Amino acid sequence: MEKKFEKKLTRESSGIKEIDSMIQGGLPSGSVTGLSGPPGVGKSIFSLHFLLEGARKGQTCVYINLEEPRGNIDNMIKEFDFAKEFFELEKKELIIIKCFDYPEYEKVYTELLQRIKDDPKIKRLVIDSFNCFFSSLDNPHALATAINVRKMITDSFYRMRRYGLTTLLILEKGEEYRSDFNYNIPYLVDGIIKLDFLDLGTIERRVFIPKMRWTNQYKESKSYEINEKGIVVASGDDGDGY
Amino acid sequence: MVNIKSYLLDKIIFPKRLIIDKPGIIYSETFKRYSNKISSKRRLCLDFEDMVANLQLETEKIFGKEETSEIFYRLGKDEGASNILIAGNKKPPLFLIEFILHILFKDMGGWLGLSLKEIDLNKKRIILEYNNILVSRKVRDHSLLIGCFSGILSFLLGENIEGIAKPKEYSKKGFYIFDKKLENRYIQDINLLKPARDYEKLNFPKTEETKNKPCFKDFVKFQKLNISPKGRIYFLGNPLFWSTSKFFNNLANYFEKRNKKEIFRKIVLKNTTKISEKILGNQEMEKDKIKLIENMLCVFGWGIPEIKKMKNEIFVTINYPQINRYKPIYEALVINGYLNYVYKKDFRAYQIEKKIERQKIIIKYKI
């Protein structure tokens, strides 16, 4: 009886080796993970690593951006050493980049997810950013809107999981995105990766993984930096010990 | 086996205590267990153990060991008494005192290095055991801490209790003995030590938006502050000490009364330079060093400092500082020391203003 329910959990690499080591090798396949942090901390760059890694493995990876025009995304990618490889994989249609504004996204998201479902080669999905979409709605405080939004979120998550997508949702963290636009997303996702920084004269950045279902995740944080290689996480314990 | 009485007192009856931290402000809050009514709040701040210890060592060079011991004993006793008086003027009932002492030393003992050894409330005798105790381990004098606990115990037990140290030879261990039979050393005037009527209003302001400022838990999260299993706090490897600015400004006041104000300034500047070498050495640029100083003091609960340099003058504003009856000489001198290290110049404060209504301190320095 037990054998019938045994199914080995597979994992998808995040594209950053040290992050993978914090979560037993990678994100659980088919999971929905929130990537949160204040502006400028490297969330979009993290998602590039995630897409690149999937594409290198022959997976089709979809990146949906709801804030920036295509030109800005290209400029971001060009800052890094992996830009050439990234664009080549895009030409091979292993990376698909789609830019929408919010009204467009609201209209197309169901159709988009249906297309993703119909293409079994699509294995990875990034939505950047997921929560600020809701704060742009007319009268987000209205009960009807709130109910619709929650329905939209749970419906989206259901489909993502059901279609076997390993999904990364960029969640902006800042005063302008108050908790009432949060819609309990941190509770609904399967994992949270938090990027944060501290200004101590020089900027120090750290990554925390407070939640990852089905995973014995690393309990401490790790420092990282952003350079021409993208996000580089320090290996080992690098705290200022006593 | 669980002591039922202690369990009931600790979990059911005794007020709850929390440490609250937000940018610039750290305080402990005690409130009734089944109510939201806050019974007392106490503003706290952190400082380097080396600062406290070196202050005492340098003071010994000026006033001699005996007088310094006496100064620090009295200041410590005043500090202990005034801290406990914040919780209220009423002495707790006798049956609770033993329990309170256990809680007190459980809370403080870890980070200080103290444990409760013996309590005899009939004889009014309490013995503490210390091991590698903060500050005293560097100074080899226990006056400050003995004075502090003497102040607390005198209030709790309702009569003047003095204390002495009994160090074990060639050891970091020893005992503190508090006994009503010990000869009176310093009897306090409690009326002078009670908190001001507007203590809470001034020291626990509703702060304006401080989203870009770090607080204690941010530094812990980023492993800049480390807390040992016993509760000792370290900043970049340097041990810290819970205190209040009142203690240091009281010391500054003593130096001033003895016409040795300039010497106190030199002592604080010298110590701050030593500390600056340890904590600011890794920062290359002046603006980064200044940022670190601002954020560090903010996290230590000194308020929210802003440092602006214009040509040969520096303007420092500390928003939401600790407010007490003393002029903030100590804060001005510590920041002076950091600034001198950063800019490699000898700045001096020419204006120190405490704007109580606006809850800020303004300090102006020039070369």
mmCIF file of all heavy atoms in Angstrom, chain A residues 123-140:
data_model
loop_
_atom_site.group_PDB
_atom_site.id
_atom_site.type_symbol
_atom_site.label_atom_id
_atom_site.label_comp_id
_atom_site.label_asym_id
_atom_site.label_seq_id
_atom_site.Cartn_x
_atom_site.Cartn_y
_atom_site.Cartn_z
ATOM 1 N N LYS A 123 8.156 24.150 -18.968
ATOM 2 C CA LYS A 123 8.335 23.580 -17.638
ATOM 3 C C LYS A 123 8.546 24.633 -16.555
ATOM 4 O O LYS A 123 8.409 24.341 -15.385
ATOM 5 C CB LYS A 123 9.563 22.640 -17.636
ATOM 6 C CG LYS A 123 9.399 21.410 -18.496
ATOM 7 C CD LYS A 123 8.365 20.481 -17.925
ATOM 8 C CE LYS A 123 8.233 19.245 -18.786
ATOM 9 N NZ LYS A 123 6.980 18.531 -18.484
ATOM 10 N N ARG A 124 8.960 25.816 -17.000
ATOM 11 C CA ARG A 124 9.253 26.838 -15.989
ATOM 12 C C ARG A 124 8.523 28.125 -16.363
ATOM 13 O O ARG A 124 8.449 28.491 -17.532
ATOM 14 C CB ARG A 124 10.755 27.120 -15.909
ATOM 15 C CG ARG A 124 11.569 25.935 -15.423
ATOM 16 C CD ARG A 124 12.997 26.308 -15.144
ATOM 17 N NE ARG A 124 13.745 25.139 -14.695
ATOM 18 C CZ ARG A 124 14.825 25.194 -13.932
ATOM 19 N NH1 ARG A 124 15.304 26.362 -13.541
ATOM 20 N NH2 ARG A 124 15.439 24.087 -13.562
ATOM 21 N N LEU A 125 8.059 28.807 -15.310
ATOM 22 C CA LEU A 125 7.320 30.054 -15.508
ATOM 23 C C LEU A 125 7.781 31.067 -14.469
ATOM 24 O O LEU A 125 7.949 30.738 -13.290
ATOM 25 C CB LEU A 125 5.812 29.792 -15.348
ATOM 26 C CG LEU A 125 4.888 31.007 -15.343
ATOM 27 C CD1 LEU A 125 4.894 31.716 -16.687
ATOM 28 C CD2 LEU A 125 3.462 30.585 -14.975
ATOM 29 N N VAL A 126 8.000 32.302 -14.949
ATOM 30 C CA VAL A 126 8.309 33.405 -14.018
ATOM 31 C C VAL A 126 7.301 34.510 -14.296
ATOM 32 O O VAL A 126 7.082 34.881 -15.457
ATOM 33 C CB VAL A 126 9.745 33.947 -14.238
ATOM 34 C CG1 VAL A 126 9.981 35.176 -13.361
ATOM 35 C CG2 VAL A 126 10.786 32.879 -13.954
ATOM 36 N N ILE A 127 6.707 35.046 -13.248
ATOM 37 C CA ILE A 127 5.845 36.226 -13.395
ATOM 38 C C ILE A 127 6.450 37.354 -12.551
ATOM 39 O O ILE A 127 6.635 37.210 -11.341
ATOM 40 C CB ILE A 127 4.397 35.946 -12.944
ATOM 41 C CG1 ILE A 127 3.810 34.778 -13.745
ATOM 42 C CG2 ILE A 127 3.530 37.204 -13.141
ATOM 43 C CD1 ILE A 127 2.395 34.406 -13.373
ATOM 44 N N ASP A 128 6.749 38.457 -13.221
ATOM 45 C CA ASP A 128 7.480 39.567 -12.571
ATOM 46 C C ASP A 128 6.738 40.888 -12.784
ATOM 47 O O ASP A 128 6.748 41.387 -13.920
ATOM 48 C CB ASP A 128 8.899 39.609 -13.179
ATOM 49 C CG ASP A 128 9.796 40.657 -12.571
ATOM 50 O OD1 ASP A 128 9.345 41.368 -11.653
ATOM 51 O OD2 ASP A 128 10.955 40.775 -13.015
ATOM 52 N N SER A 129 6.124 41.487 -11.806
ATOM 53 C CA SER A 129 5.974 40.944 -10.480
ATOM 54 C C SER A 129 4.500 40.582 -10.282
ATOM 55 O O SER A 129 3.634 41.142 -10.956
ATOM 56 C CB SER A 129 6.392 41.960 -9.418
ATOM 57 O OG SER A 129 5.555 43.068 -9.426
ATOM 58 N N PHE A 130 4.276 39.683 -9.396
ATOM 59 C CA PHE A 130 2.951 39.074 -9.273
ATOM 60 C C PHE A 130 2.012 39.912 -8.415
ATOM 61 O O PHE A 130 0.867 40.142 -8.785
ATOM 62 C CB PHE A 130 3.095 37.664 -8.698
ATOM 63 C CG PHE A 130 1.839 36.854 -8.716
ATOM 64 C CD1 PHE A 130 1.311 36.386 -9.913
ATOM 65 C CD2 PHE A 130 1.181 36.537 -7.546
ATOM 66 C CE1 PHE A 130 0.148 35.634 -9.946
ATOM 67 C CE2 PHE A 130 0.012 35.775 -7.574
ATOM 68 C CZ PHE A 130 -0.500 35.327 -8.767
ATOM 69 N N ASN A 131 2.503 40.408 -7.286
ATOM 70 C CA ASN A 131 1.560 41.052 -6.357
ATOM 71 C C ASN A 131 1.247 42.492 -6.716
ATOM 72 O O ASN A 131 0.162 42.975 -6.424
ATOM 73 C CB ASN A 131 2.025 40.962 -4.904
ATOM 74 C CG ASN A 131 3.367 41.627 -4.677
ATOM 75 O OD1 ASN A 131 4.203 41.679 -5.580
ATOM 76 N ND2 ASN A 131 3.599 42.129 -3.492
ATOM 77 N N CYS A 132 2.166 43.161 -7.391
ATOM 78 C CA CYS A 132 1.858 44.565 -7.667
ATOM 79 C C CYS A 132 0.787 44.674 -8.728
ATOM 80 O O CYS A 132 0.164 45.722 -8.886
ATOM 81 C CB CYS A 132 3.098 45.347 -8.037
ATOM 82 S SG CYS A 132 3.843 44.851 -9.558
ATOM 83 N N PHE A 133 0.557 43.588 -9.420
ATOM 84 C CA PHE A 133 -0.535 43.576 -10.389
ATOM 85 C C PHE A 133 -1.849 43.902 -9.681
ATOM 86 O O PHE A 133 -2.673 44.667 -10.165
ATOM 87 C CB PHE A 133 -0.585 42.198 -11.058
ATOM 88 C CG PHE A 133 -1.879 41.888 -11.744
ATOM 89 C CD1 PHE A 133 -2.298 42.637 -12.837
ATOM 90 C CD2 PHE A 133 -2.689 40.874 -11.289
ATOM 91 C CE1 PHE A 133 -3.495 42.367 -13.476
ATOM 92 C CE2 PHE A 133 -3.899 40.590 -11.936
ATOM 93 C CZ PHE A 133 -4.293 41.334 -13.017
ATOM 94 N N PHE A 134 -2.042 43.348 -8.496
ATOM 95 C CA PHE A 134 -3.324 43.505 -7.824
ATOM 96 C C PHE A 134 -3.525 44.897 -7.265
ATOM 97 O O PHE A 134 -4.627 45.400 -7.193
ATOM 98 C CB PHE A 134 -3.459 42.459 -6.716
ATOM 99 C CG PHE A 134 -3.311 41.072 -7.248
ATOM 100 C CD1 PHE A 134 -2.208 40.307 -6.908
ATOM 101 C CD2 PHE A 134 -4.227 40.542 -8.139
ATOM 102 C CE1 PHE A 134 -2.035 39.035 -7.426
ATOM 103 C CE2 PHE A 134 -4.057 39.264 -8.663
ATOM 104 C CZ PHE A 134 -2.964 38.514 -8.302
ATOM 105 N N SER A 135 -2.432 45.545 -6.891
ATOM 106 C CA SER A 135 -2.568 46.889 -6.324
ATOM 107 C C SER A 135 -2.956 47.897 -7.398
ATOM 108 O O SER A 135 -3.361 49.000 -7.097
ATOM 109 C CB SER A 135 -1.276 47.333 -5.655
ATOM 110 O OG SER A 135 -0.251 47.425 -6.614
ATOM 111 N N SER A 136 -2.876 47.486 -8.650
ATOM 112 C CA SER A 136 -3.211 48.423 -9.714
ATOM 113 C C SER A 136 -4.678 48.357 -10.068
ATOM 114 O O SER A 136 -5.172 49.129 -10.871
ATOM 115 C CB SER A 136 -2.379 48.107 -10.957
ATOM 116 O OG SER A 136 -2.871 46.931 -11.555
ATOM 117 N N LEU A 137 -5.385 47.408 -9.487
ATOM 118 C CA LEU A 137 -6.796 47.247 -9.847
ATOM 119 C C LEU A 137 -7.602 48.434 -9.346
ATOM 120 O O LEU A 137 -7.257 49.065 -8.350
ATOM 121 C CB LEU A 137 -7.353 45.962 -9.221
ATOM 122 C CG LEU A 137 -6.705 44.674 -9.698
ATOM 123 C CD1 LEU A 137 -7.172 43.508 -8.860
ATOM 124 C CD2 LEU A 137 -7.012 44.423 -11.159
ATOM 125 N N ASP A 138 -8.703 48.712 -10.044
ATOM 126 C CA ASP A 138 -9.589 49.773 -9.561
ATOM 127 C C ASP A 138 -10.160 49.354 -8.232
ATOM 128 O O ASP A 138 -10.650 48.246 -8.087
ATOM 129 C CB ASP A 138 -10.760 49.963 -10.553
ATOM 130 C CG ASP A 138 -10.268 50.597 -11.840
ATOM 131 O OD1 ASP A 138 -9.208 51.253 -11.800
ATOM 132 O OD2 ASP A 138 -10.915 50.411 -12.878
ATOM 133 N N ASN A 139 -10.081 50.251 -7.289
ATOM 134 C CA ASN A 139 -10.676 50.025 -5.969
ATOM 135 C C ASN A 139 -10.343 48.642 -5.385
ATOM 136 O O ASN A 139 -11.210 47.800 -5.187
ATOM 137 C CB ASN A 139 -12.199 50.177 -6.044
ATOM 138 C CG ASN A 139 -12.783 50.341 -4.650
ATOM 139 O OD1 ASN A 139 -12.052 50.452 -3.659
ATOM 140 N ND2 ASN A 139 -14.100 50.332 -4.566
ATOM 141 N N PRO A 140 -9.059 48.422 -5.152
ATOM 142 C CA PRO A 140 -8.660 47.095 -4.681
ATOM 143 C C PRO A 140 -9.227 46.734 -3.316
ATOM 144 O O PRO A 140 -9.185 45.596 -2.901
ATOM 145 C CB PRO A 140 -7.132 47.156 -4.641
ATOM 146 C CG PRO A 140 -6.802 48.595 -4.614
ATOM 147 C CD PRO A 140 -7.932 49.339 -5.251
#
